[in-house]
Amino acid sequence: MSGEKIKAIYGTRDILPAEADIWTEIIIAVSKIAEEYNYGFIHTPVFEAAELFSRGIGESSDVVTKEMYTFKDQGGRSLTLRPEGTASVVRSYIEHSMGAKQGLVKVWYAGPMFRQERPQAGRFRQFYQFGFEAVGSLEPSIDAEMIAANYDIVKSLGINDIKLYLNSIGMPEERKSHKRAFTDFIKPLIDRFCTDCRKRFKTNPLRMFDCKQKRCMALLIEAPLIFDYLSDENRRHFGEVCEFLDHIGISYELDKRLVRGLDYYTRTAWEIKSDKLGSQDSISGGGRYDLLVEQLGGKPTPGIGFAAGIERVILAMPVKEFEPNRKDFGFFIVVGDSRYKKEAFGLITRIRKLGIPADIDYLGRSLKAQMKQADKSGFIYSIILAEDEMSRGKAVLRNMADSRQTEIFVKDVLDAENSGQLGELIGYKQ
Ligand code: HAM
């Protein structure tokens, strides 16, 4: 048998505990805002029928044409590792007739997504998103709520140097008339565009605005924009979304060139970007998908949502390096003599039962090494079981932050009824 090392797959990565602490903090911050905005958590499977995404996200999107992890299972079914969450939420909404029970369904989710893209800073093949979806309302106020939730989350994570770009990309009828003008404009220039743009011109011309190549961008400067082809109704809808945002003080920039990479979008679309992120500068993106429920077999129902990538959120956060937090309450038990191992084990068990974090050495380390370990553990207290004190039934309580030491009766800790009492016993004040 070969002992060769096996590595994580290209484009995937391990999130080690120090970084994982920040992930947990992010999810807690998101869940707090989800609660404030009254969104319930939803879990959907990580893999789905391939057709869900090809129909939902659209045959002309990059995600479907080049990036999906699709495979056959043992039963010959074609399955796809989800590249995003919206199609799954809508599938679940239809499957569980959620709309019949509730006029408006508001949910959020978090978890891994998979896209076979070329990995680079802020771009992975397995990445993590959190997202919000609201299915059932066409009111401009729900657009504003969704944008506000997205904005609040990003701000609550201390990300301040952001810009919110907003656009309306209309409905298929408007796109048809725009497409005519756009095609007339592009046709004489088409040979000067990159290969991707030439392909997009045939499949989904609007996506040409997403090209990052300078030459293509320059060629598009004078191109007709979908925003200028909106019907009065959709122009009014967009205007009202802006009024709601103005009213609650959320600043945005109208970006008539903003288009989204997935085909289901209609009307309002937005992206939040940070200069800190380089070429992958989108922290989050979202918009309306007013035709998706119907496309996936449900009754015509409008929807709106957004998703953000956790890796990109972290890149944009003011975090310099990952260090385990010094826990403000918790104990590392140092065993001065192997005779006290059982007492020590009893102590951590008791302390943990009180809901207080506690740990101990499991490697038979020396006293000095255990003290070092106690310091590294991040716990603010250590309890040292040494012969001198133990002969009097006592142990040393050491504050690791300021090195102050006092003696405590081991029995008192074991007898303490609740964490409050234990706190008092060891002089801990909240
Ligand atoms: P998206 O713009 O494709 O939208 O992705 C949303 C966010 O996921 C991006 O802004 C980015 O932060 C992150 N992301 C996307 N691809 C990668 C990648 N390869 N590596 C790291 N991060 C990535 C959606 O997924 C829509 N489902 C959003 C939505 C929800 N629209 C309506 N509801």
Side-chain angles (χ1 to χ4, degrees):
M1 221 173 19
S2 123
E4 223 172 272
K5 286 182 195 156
I6 299 169
K7 287 196 173 158
I9 301 296
Y10 184 56
T12 72
R13 56 193 279 268
D14 302 309
I15 315 301
L16 304 180
E19 186 179 351
D21 276 355
I22 290 170
W23 285 51
T24 309
E25 271 172 36
I26 292 171
I27 294 300
I28 291 171
V30 178
S31 69
K32 191 166 166 284
I33 287 171
E35 198 178 359
E36 287 166 9
Y37 279 79
N38 197 26
Y39 285 67
F41 194 83
I42 184 167
H43 288 280
T44 61
V46 166
F47 58 87
E48 299 262 7
E51 194 194 346
L52 172 66
F53 302 111
S54 49
R55 253 168 67 193
I57 297 173
E59 299 282 6
S60 74
S61 66
D62 286 355
V63 170
V64 171
T65 51
K66 324 190 235 196
E67 298 167 5
M68 294 214 300
Y69 281 100
T70 299
F71 57 96
K72 289 253 157 66
D73 73 358
Q74 306 283 345
R77 284 166 289 251
S78 185
L79 306 176
T80 298
L81 295 181
R82 62 179 183 195
E84 59 104 50
T86 312
S88 302
V89 167
V90 169
R91 193 241 341 113
S92 175
Y93 170 91
I94 299 167
E95 192 169 331
H96 300 284
S97 309
M98 289 190 214
K101 294 170 205 142
Q102 248 172 296
L104 176 64
V105 172
K106 305 209 295 185
V107 292
W108 75 285
Y109 50 88
M113 307 291 162
F114 307 85
R115 296 183 192 175
Q116 196 163 343
E117 294 190 80
R118 196 169 48 77
Q120 62 181 82
R123 191 158 76 185
F124 301 93
R125 292 185 166 177
Q126 173 171 332
F127 58 99
Y128 284 72
Q129 277 187 348
F130 54 82
F132 281 43
E133 312 290 350
V135 187
S137 170
L138 191 55
E139 288 290 314
S141 51
I142 192 76
D143 301 43
E145 162 165 309
M146 198 53 91
I147 296 168
N150 190 173
Y151 190 83
D152 275 3
I153 288 172
V154 174
K155 285 273 178 181
S156 79
L157 295 168
I159 306 172
N160 289 317
D161 50 350
I162 49 163
K163 271 208 177 132
L164 168 61
Y165 296 97
L166 194 59
N167 194 15
S168 175
I169 54 171
M171 294 293 275
E173 314 84 71
E174 292 147 324
R175 283 190 213 149
K176 240 188 239 163
S177 43
H178 167 258
K179 194 175 169 182
R180 271 195 294 273
F182 188 73
T183 310
D184 289 347
F185 175 86
I186 298 288
K187 253 193 186 148
L189 308 171
I190 191 66
D191 292 339
R192 294 161 64 189
F193 280 91
C194 71
T195 339
D196 270 354
C197 277
R198 271 181 272 162
K199 264 191 223 148
R200 285 173 184 153
F201 184 59
K202 286 191 194 128
T203 53
N204 187 351
L206 217 50
R207 291 267 296 123
M208 291 172 76
F209 285 108
D210 232 9
C211 186
K212 298 276 189 298
Q213 305 242 4
K214 283 213 175 81
R215 199 165 65 160
C216 300
M217 282 157 81
L219 288 167
L220 285 170
I221 281 178
E222 302 275 313
L225 302 168
I226 178 71
F227 191 87
D228 300 323
Y229 286 77
L230 294 182
S231 65
D232 288 347
E233 191 194 339
N234 283 336
R235 198 175 282 271
R236 200 176 319 115
H237 183 279
F238 186 75
E240 281 183 42
V241 175
C242 295
E243 280 169 28
F244 276 105
L245 291 175
D246 294 339
H247 186 67
I248 57 169
I250 288 188
S251 46
Y252 52 86
E253 210 170 280
L254 171 64
D255 177 3
K256 293 187 182 178
R257 286 164 194 276
L258 181 118
V259 289
R260 302 273 299 128
L262 313 169
D263 290 355
Y264 52 59
Y265 288 108
T266 52
R267 299 190 175 96
T268 316
W270 71 93
E271 264 174 33
I272 293 183
K273 294 187 179 184
S274 159
D275 292 341
K276 267 191 176 175
L277 296 192
S279 70
Q280 299 304 309
D281 57 357
S282 263
I283 299 177
S284 70
R288 283 204 157 270
Y289 43 88
D290 297 327
L291 302 171
L292 184 60
V293 178
E294 198 178 347
Q295 265 161 26
L296 292 176
K299 287 192 199 128
T301 315
I304 184 164
F306 73 87
I310 296 189
E311 292 84 353
R312 295 207 195 156
V313 162
I314 291 178
L315 282 178
M317 270 168 78
V319 193
K320 288 289 162 278
E321 56 199 61
F322 304 121
E323 265 180 27
N325 293 337
R326 183 166 274 280
K327 320 244 182 345
D328 58 349
F329 201 32
F331 298 87
F332 194 91
I333 315 291
V334 174
V335 188
D337 188 300
S338 57
R339 263 182 300 165
Y340 307 132
K341 268 188 179 168
K342 283 225 177 76
E343 271 97 340
F345 206 66
L347 268 179
I348 51 165
T349 307
R350 176 74 193 145
I351 294 170
R352 286 170 177 169
K353 285 256 160 67
L354 296 169
I356 301 169
D359 210 352
I360 196 169
D361 163 58
Y362 288 107
L363 297 174
R365 289 185 166 115
S366 70
L367 182 67
K368 203 169 144 206
Q370 285 182 62
M371 289 305 294
K372 258 197 199 156
Q373 198 189 348
D375 201 33
K376 264 182 32 195
S377 69
F379 291 135
I380 205 152
Y381 294 106
S382 60
I383 295 178
I384 306 155
L385 308 188
E387 196 168 359
D388 250 17
E389 291 79 14
M390 285 298 276
S391 62
R392 290 181 275 119
K394 287 184 153 187
V396 175
L397 173 77
R398 182 184 169 91
N399 184 321
M400 303 304 290
D402 60 17
S403 307
R404 271 188 307 158
Q405 299 198 160
T406 45
E407 286 185 3
I408 50 166
F409 279 106
V410 174
K411 193 168 149 293
D412 284 349
V413 178
L414 292 174
D415 290 346
E417 291 268 287
N418 55 50
S419 54
Q421 246 178 295
L422 180 65
E424 234 169 73
L425 194 73
I426 58 169
Y428 172 76
K429 295 206 177 39
Q430 252 171 334

